[in-house]
Amino acid sequence: METQKCVLYDRDCIGCLECEMCDLDPNKVCDNCGKCLNIQDFATIKIDGIITDPDEATRHGKG
């Protein structure tokens, strides 16, 4: 029988189920809600400008 490696510690799995516990609420089993990952429903980027001239894009290294 092959033993599994622990995902949290450098050892073989001992069946403690610590890896299954919620990082934010240690009394709860992880349900993959993602709250500990700070996942957002949207992301934003800042646009400095829009280059429409192909020659200008080449000068700026964007082409």
Side-chain angles (χ1 to χ4, degrees), residues 15-58:
C16 69
L17 298 178
E18 186 177 344
C19 60
E20 298 291 330
M21 301 312 293
C22 175
D23 288 342
L24 300 177
D25 181 359
N27 297 317
K28 180 180 121 182
V29 174
C30 176
D31 60 3
N32 294 319
C33 69
K35 291 179 183 174
C36 60
L37 301 175
N38 194 21
I39 296 174
Q40 299 177 2
D41 290 336
F42 59 90
T44 59
I45 59 170
K46 180 181 177 187
I47 298 174
D48 295 338
I50 298 174
I51 300 173
T52 58
D53 180 17
D55 293 331
E56 187 179 349
T58 303

